[in-house]
């Protein structure tokens, strides 16, 4: 049960996690139900190059429930299944994937499922 109204802002996040090579960042607020984040993936960003060194896993192990605000992203699952997502698209994506920005526009995405541990250094 909620105790009352809660206001948090991704423009004033509790945490910011930069990606390798200056290719974007994740802004995160933490709610009782879990983290909600806004990621900015810069042109040229690829999970396997800019987050894999941080996560220390062969592919992204996060499950995502996200919404693309702008730009385009291609996601390829470990089994070869692939899809492209653009502005206005909602995405459900299970663990076990790589992803990269398509084109020369940053991909901005909200996610309320998979960003709590995303781009967080392995313990």
């Amino acid at each position: 049960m909620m105790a009352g109204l809660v206001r948090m802002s991704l423009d004033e996040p509790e945490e910011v996690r930069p990606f390798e090579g200056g290719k974007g960042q994740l802004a995160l607020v933490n709610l009782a139900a879990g983290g909600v984040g806004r990621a900015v993936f810069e042109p040229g960003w690829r999970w396997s190059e800019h987050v894999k060194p941080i996560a220390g896993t062969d592919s992204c192990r996060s499950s995502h429930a996200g919404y693309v605000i702008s730009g385009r992203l291609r996601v390829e699952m470990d089994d070869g299944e692939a899809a492209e997502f653009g502005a206005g698209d909602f995405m459900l994506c299970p663990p076990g994937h790589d992803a990269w920005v398509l084109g020369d526009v940053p991909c901005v995405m909200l996610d309320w499922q998979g960003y709590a541990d995303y781009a967080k250094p392995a313990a």
Side-chain angles (χ1 to χ4, degrees):
M1 232 193 312
M2 284 183 50
L5 293 173
V6 174
R7 181 191 175 277
M8 302 177 97
S9 174
L10 290 169
D11 290 331
E12 296 175 8
E14 294 177 289
E15 187 177 356
V16 175
R17 298 179 190 159
F19 303 140
E20 295 283 316
K23 287 293 183 180
Q25 66 182 20
L26 169 65
L28 187 69
V29 295
N30 294 294
L31 305 171
V36 175
R38 177 181 62 209
V40 177
F41 305 108
E42 297 292 342
W45 176 89
R46 186 175 183 128
W47 186 92
S48 55
E49 295 175 24
H50 302 102
V51 180
K52 180 179 177 175
I54 300 167
T57 57
D58 287 337
S59 61
C60 181
R61 304 313 306 160
S62 294
S63 178
H64 302 285
Y67 178 78
V68 181
I69 296 171
S70 64
R72 294 197 60 74
L73 190 72
R74 180 171 174 86
V75 178
E76 187 170 307
M77 303 302 297
D78 291 348
D79 68 5
E81 180 183 7
E84 294 181 10
F85 300 91
D89 288 341
F90 175 77
M91 175 182 78
L92 288 176
C93 179
H97 57 272
D98 193 4
W100 55 93
V101 171
L102 297 171
D104 58 0
V105 174
C107 180
V108 179
M109 178 176 255
L110 297 177
D111 189 320
W112 49 93
Q113 180 176 328
Y115 282 168
D117 293 321
Y118 191 84
K120 188 174 189 178

